[in-house]
Amino acid sequence: MEIIIAFLAGLLIGSFLNVCVYRLPLEISVAQPARSFCPGCEKTIAWYDNVPVLSFLLLRGRCRNCKARIPLRYPVVELATGLAFALCVAAFGVTLLTVKYAILSAILITLIATDFEEHFLPDEFTLGGTLIGLVLAVFIRMDPGIVNLLMPYSLSWRWVSLAESAFSAAFFSGIVWFAGWLYEKVRHREGMGLGDVKMLAMVGAFLGTTGSQLTLIIGGVFGVILGGGYILIAREKASEYELPYGSFLGFGAFVAVGMWYFQQYRH
């Protein structure tokens, strides 16, 4: 029952995340107008046409009023969020860990979608997510990292956990910033946006040292394989095409969490 409730809650949250994915890159408030509207005809969408996934299927992917095509991203984000929430409950039960990883999942899904569509990583989810990750570190112990070796044993685990979260956020975002700065100095063109830097800060705050390392490595592998493959197939110029690196980092973070779970709980 808890898993079913989590899945349904995820569908609803996913519907709101779709609002964020569409509105934030356009600098439209997610609160006003409160009701969803069709980007094609700008008419308010009725509640019965706004049921997650189901309405998309019943309407065959088109607006009821103007027949404009509804992007496939809408049901994908809703289903992905529902499944992520359900998996969190299945893995950790009704616990604070579930809350933590459900929040992280919602943030990652939004960032993957916005970067893939618009090459945009909103501060509300990167910087806001970093703050949430730091707060959660006070209540949920981070896995031991390099900070544990430097902190006195007499210090409360909450302070050590917060320090690990803050260090990981600063260190790994700093690595990405330096890589982008160096690329710009050598190639005289921007190689990485600040959005990617802020996203790594958020990942570091949530996942700590080990999870951030895995995210960087796996995200880089995805970028080389998937991004490089697309460039070859579409015959884009590698020097000019802007890869959605944030999307690859998001997938990398999901894989890192999965690897951590199987290492910790499946022995």
Side-chain angles (χ1 to χ4, degrees):
M1 182 60 69
E2 291 88 350
I3 295 173
I4 294 173
I5 293 172
F7 177 73
L8 295 176
L11 290 180
L12 294 175
I13 296 296
S15 181
F16 172 72
L17 296 182
N18 272 319
V19 173
C20 297
V21 171
Y22 173 73
R23 295 190 187 187
L24 290 179
L26 299 176
E27 298 184 350
I28 302 174
S29 170
V30 297
Q32 295 295 331
R35 297 281 298 277
S36 297
F37 60 90
C38 172
C41 60
E42 298 187 352
K43 287 189 176 181
T44 300
I45 299 174
W47 68 267
Y48 47 80
D49 286 337
N50 209 22
V51 180
V53 181
L54 182 62
S55 291
F56 179 88
L57 296 175
L58 293 177
L59 293 170
R60 298 182 180 180
R62 294 188 178 274
C63 171
R64 183 184 295 275
N65 297 305
C66 68
K67 306 304 179 185
R69 187 172 296 279
I70 302 170
L72 186 61
R73 182 250 304 160
Y74 282 85
V76 169
V77 166
E78 290 162 354
L79 275 174
T81 311
L83 289 172
F85 280 29
L87 286 172
C88 287
V89 172
F92 307 114
V94 183
T95 62
L96 280 177
L97 269 180
T98 291
V99 174
K100 174 180 177 177
Y101 287 109
I103 292 173
L104 176 62
S105 297
I107 293 172
L108 291 175
I109 289 168
T110 305
L111 295 176
I112 289 170
T114 56
D115 199 40
F116 183 78
E117 284 194 358
E118 304 291 341
H119 296 285
F120 180 76
L121 296 167
D123 288 347
E124 290 84 350
F125 284 83
T126 54
L127 297 181
T130 302
L131 180 59
I132 293 171
L134 292 171
V135 171
L136 289 173
V138 178
F139 300 97
I140 304 169
R141 189 194 296 263
M142 299 285 289
D143 281 352
I146 190 171
V147 173
N148 288 67
L149 303 175
L150 305 175
M151 303 293 278
Y153 289 106
S154 59
L155 203 61
S156 167
W157 71 263
R158 296 182 189 277
W159 287 109
V160 177
S161 181
L162 177 60
E164 171 69 19
S165 177
F167 170 81
S168 299
F171 181 75
F172 288 98
S173 62
I175 287 177
V176 174
W177 175 85
F178 180 75
W181 175 84
L182 188 61
Y183 181 91
E184 188 172 354
K185 290 295 181 183
V186 174
R187 299 293 300 274
H188 305 290
R189 60 187 294 269
E190 186 178 71
M192 196 167 296
L194 283 178
D196 299 313
V197 175
K198 298 170 188 176
M199 183 174 179
L200 249 297
M202 182 276 297
V203 171
F206 268 91
L207 300 185
T209 306
T210 304
S212 299
Q213 287 177 329
L214 287 172
T215 298
L216 267 178
I217 294 170
I218 298 168
V221 171
F222 281 151
V224 170
I225 295 176
L226 299 179
Y230 174 80
I231 289 173
L232 288 175
I233 294 171
R235 297 183 179 179
E236 297 276 358
K237 289 186 177 180
S239 60
E240 297 178 2
Y241 181 71
E242 183 181 351
L243 284 173
Y245 186 52
S247 297
F248 299 133
L249 287 176
F251 286 120
F254 272 121
V255 174
V257 171
M259 292 174 66
W260 170 81
Y261 170 75
F262 281 104
Q263 181 183 16
Q264 294 288 323
Y265 292 89
R266 290 301 186 186
H267 279 182

